Amino acid sequence: RHRNGLWIQLMTDEVRGRLVDWESETAGTIARFRAEAGKYPGHQRFAELIDELNEKSEFFRQEWVRHEVRGFTSHTETFEHPEVGTIRARIVILRPLNHPHLTLMIHQLADDKSRERMEKLLSA
């Protein structure tokens, strides 16, 4: 049920603890979510998710009332992993032409150090 990236970013302590500059990154995610939700006024799933996050997340409530709207631009997020250190990932969005309502978020490792660190995690 909770496969939504915004829900995971807001409600998962592990993400909150590892995503560098969590507040700024999450505020941006909320603003991009608002832009996406605006494309589907009255859509039940968006309304349910907004209601749930308003109920469960003080941070979401504070940001949601600001009414900030942002379009998506590719950017790099930085994570601090307790075992391997800093991992940087470039975030890219794809929308398949034959499924325009589907959004694919691609996390591409941003540099050689990040690739080395991820390989170390995957080989453990």
Side-chain angles (χ1 to χ4, degrees), residues 10-117:
L10 282 160
M11 304 305 295
T12 306
D13 290 338
E14 186 176 18
V15 172
R16 182 185 290 257
R18 292 183 183 182
L19 180 59
V20 173
D21 203 8
W22 180 88
E23 286 189 7
S24 175
E25 292 288 346
T26 304
T29 302
I30 293 168
R32 289 186 295 275
F33 174 78
R34 180 183 286 282
E36 194 66 22
K39 296 175 186 177
Y40 307 98
H43 190 280
Q44 182 179 349
R45 181 62 185 123
F46 277 101
E48 289 170 357
L49 182 58
I50 292 164
D51 288 347
E52 181 179 10
L53 291 173
N54 266 313
E55 178 186 328
K56 295 183 177 180
S57 171
E58 177 66 27
F59 187 83
F60 181 83
R61 278 192 301 279
Q62 291 171 357
E63 290 299 313
W64 194 249
V65 298
R66 292 180 59 229
H67 297 282
E68 185 178 352
V69 178
R70 283 190 211 171
F72 182 85
T73 56
S74 294
H75 61 283
T76 300
E77 292 181 342
T78 303
F79 298 87
E80 283 297 329
H81 192 280
E83 295 173 33
V84 296
T86 303
I87 297 174
R88 298 177 65 240
R90 183 139 181 87
I91 313 301
V92 179
I93 293 252
L94 302 174
R95 290 191 188 267
L97 292 175
N98 59 338
H99 295 285
H101 295 87
L102 179 65
T103 301
L104 302 172
M105 276 188 118
I106 308 296
H107 291 70
Q108 180 182 32
L109 296 171
D111 51 55
D112 289 339
K113 268 289 193 217
S114 295
R115 279 187 282 285
E116 290 170 14
R117 291 173 177 160

